[in-house]
Amino acid sequence: MVDRKTNRVITLEEYIIQAQNKFPGATGELSQLLRDIGLAAKIISREVNKAGITNILGEDGSTNVHGESVKKLDLFADSQLISALNRSEITCMVVSEENDGIVELDSDGGKYIVYMDPLDGSSNIDVNVSIGSIFSIYIRKNDSKEPLTEQDGLQPGTQQVAAGYVLYGSSTMMAYTTGAGVSLFTLDPSIGEFVLSDSKIRIPDHGTIYSVNEGSYHSWDEGLKQYVKYCQVEDSETHRPYKARYIGSMVADVHRTLVKGGIFIYPNSSQYPNGKLRLMYECNPLSFVIEQAGGMAIDCKGRIMEIRPEAIHQRTPIFIGSKQNVLKVKEFLDKYAPERIQN
Ligand code: FDP
């Protein structure tokens, strides 16, 4: 996207400053935080792109807090983001997929709490498939003189002040929202800057792609089984059958859903009774982005962002995407499990 007055591209830095200037009382701290994340993302992107030619691919031998094997790039991304956030001393605490407890940063009264999944979709690293970083930002509620605890971070997604993701795909893209729409940037490697691609991206109201790991079909609830059958039936009026697309990296699947419309699902199942994906650093931030673009995100009962979290690494089922598609899957879920319907 080109600035009409100057006829040149707008960088992430410029865009953030312009946005901040619209709020005369703004301290500039949130802008700084977003710039820190942007900088870490560029460094991670560089390593992701050369992963195959350095010795950084593969597992480092340890397992993370969820018992999943940790890839070397996960650890690299985790340390880059934490040190970028530490530098400006405005973030007091980080919760990361890679760390069991909270990580306290060297801030003197810093008010921001950042949740992150430094490298989501990491089982795709070794096969050169898109992966991403996700972030979600909150303001600390209690007095900054009190010791920090997990409780400080247990706020519903509706309290997020900003959230977004970086997708390391055929190009590197960053999408974020501060609650006033979604802005999308593309990393231009020739100048080493994220440049604005779209300042108010909208998700289509209806899409013709469904995205779910169908290998788990037999462990799903009946409502979801019936919905997927519905997606596969021929009906020209509703453009069915829909296309099935599943990358297996949530960021990449949700990004495609944002751009093209449709639905991404990671359900509860007999294998994962509470779903697999994490509420605080996967589902809430991506729900904030999708809602801000005009879409919807629910668990089996209601809005993802209204879930009251009880643990920092909590999991949730998620149905996220175009409004009409999410409402349709909800119809099926409610029909086969009416006891779940929320008034
Ligand atoms: P991964 O395990 O590769 O890190 O966050 C977990 C996640 O990827 C999501 O990015 C992805 O959508 C999902 O798990 C894939 O899970 P399945 O392999 O069970 O489909």
Side-chain angles (χ1 to χ4, degrees):
M1 225 176 153
V2 171
D3 185 323
R4 276 197 230 107
K5 281 189 214 139
T6 59
N7 204 25
R8 64 180 178 81
V9 294
I10 304 165
T11 67
L12 174 67
E13 293 261 330
E14 285 171 313
Y15 184 80
I16 289 173
I17 290 166
Q18 280 173 17
Q20 181 194 319
N21 289 344
K22 289 185 191 146
F23 298 93
T27 60
E29 287 184 341
L30 183 60
S31 306
Q32 179 62 44
L33 213 168
L34 291 168
R35 294 208 302 265
D36 291 343
I37 291 173
L39 175 65
K42 284 195 242 177
I43 298 169
I44 298 167
S45 175
R46 189 192 61 201
E47 288 311 305
V48 168
N49 284 330
K50 66 180 190 198
I53 49 173
T54 63
N55 189 25
I56 210 158
L57 276 180
E59 296 173 12
D60 90 332
S62 61
T63 51
N64 69 12
V65 290
H66 315 290
E68 299 155 346
S69 58
V70 173
K71 310 273 175 174
K72 287 179 193 169
L73 262 177
D74 294 25
L75 295 179
F76 178 81
D78 190 54
S79 67
Q80 283 303 320
L81 281 160
I82 289 180
S83 66
L85 295 171
N86 215 7
R87 221 170 293 142
S88 45
E89 301 191 354
I90 47 183
T91 304
C92 56
M93 155 177 154
V94 171
V95 179
S96 159
E97 189 193 19
E98 301 304 337
N99 299 287
D100 199 355
I102 60 171
V103 179
E104 272 191 58
L105 300 190
D106 311 324
S107 75
D108 186 14
K111 66 170 187 251
Y112 289 104
I113 295 174
V114 178
Y115 278 87
M116 62 186 200
D117 184 349
L119 218 50
D120 182 65
S122 48
S123 43
N124 275 324
I125 294 175
D126 284 349
V127 288
N128 209 0
V129 171
S130 301
I131 47 182
S133 305
I134 313 176
F135 59 92
S136 164
I137 303 172
Y138 292 84
I139 292 179
R140 181 182 185 177
K141 290 280 182 248
N142 76 359
D143 191 329
S144 63
K145 289 179 195 79
E146 297 287 316
L148 277 162
T149 67
E150 286 190 10
Q151 278 306 320
D152 292 298
L154 293 178
Q155 303 179 35
T158 47
Q159 297 293 308
Q160 292 173 101
V161 291
Y165 62 82
V166 183
L167 172 66
Y168 312 104
S170 45
S171 60
T172 295
M173 297 193 109
M174 176 168 173
Y176 80 84
T177 180
T178 54
V182 179
S183 309
L184 185 65
F185 299 84
T186 307
L187 183 61
D188 179 342
S190 66
I191 56 169
E193 295 283 357
F194 280 104
V195 297
L196 186 64
S197 309
D198 194 332
S199 61
K200 272 223 177 324
I201 189 161
R202 301 295 294 170
I203 182 171
D205 271 347
H206 177 255
T208 54
I209 297 174
Y210 73 100
S211 182
V212 61
N213 181 349
E214 270 185 89
S216 308
Y217 181 88
H218 290 289
S219 65
W220 295 344
D221 288 351
E222 190 55 29
L224 180 58
K225 287 180 179 169
Q226 293 300 327
Y227 173 70
V228 166
K229 277 193 189 152
Y230 161 89
C231 294
Q232 294 166 347
V233 165
E234 279 187 29
D235 176 51
S236 55
E237 206 177 303
T238 51
H239 308 288
R240 283 179 289 148
Y242 295 159
K243 287 183 183 136
R245 294 283 185 273
Y246 187 73
I247 298 165
S249 288
M250 188 190 190
V251 178
D253 280 312
V254 170
H255 180 72
R256 182 202 53 247
T257 308
L258 171 69
V259 176
K260 298 209 159 193
I263 189 164
F264 169 77
I265 298 171
Y266 207 108
N268 56 302
S269 62
S270 51
Q271 191 189 2
Y272 294 112
N274 300 316
K276 176 186 174 194
L277 303 181
R278 262 62 67 150
L279 173 65
M280 300 304 288
Y281 41 83
E282 294 183 307
C283 298
N284 268 336
L286 297 181
S287 299
F288 193 17
V289 169
I290 289 291
E291 281 197 10
Q292 281 296 314
M296 266 183 94
I298 59 168
D299 64 356
C300 307
K301 291 175 264 175
R303 198 173 161 214
I304 288 282
M305 292 211 294
E306 287 177 8
I307 297 174
R308 300 231 149 246
E310 288 167 7
I312 53 176
H313 295 293
Q314 179 171 337
R315 297 170 193 267
T316 178
I318 187 166
F319 303 81
I320 182 170
S322 298
K323 237 178 213 161
Q324 287 178 29
N325 300 63
V326 176
L327 289 173
K328 181 53 91 179
V329 76
K330 176 102 174 51
E331 224 176 276
F332 278 90
L333 298 177
D334 290 350
K335 183 170 168 198
Y336 289 88
E339 71 282 358
R340 285 212 204 104
I341 297 175
Q342 264 185 355
N343 295 316

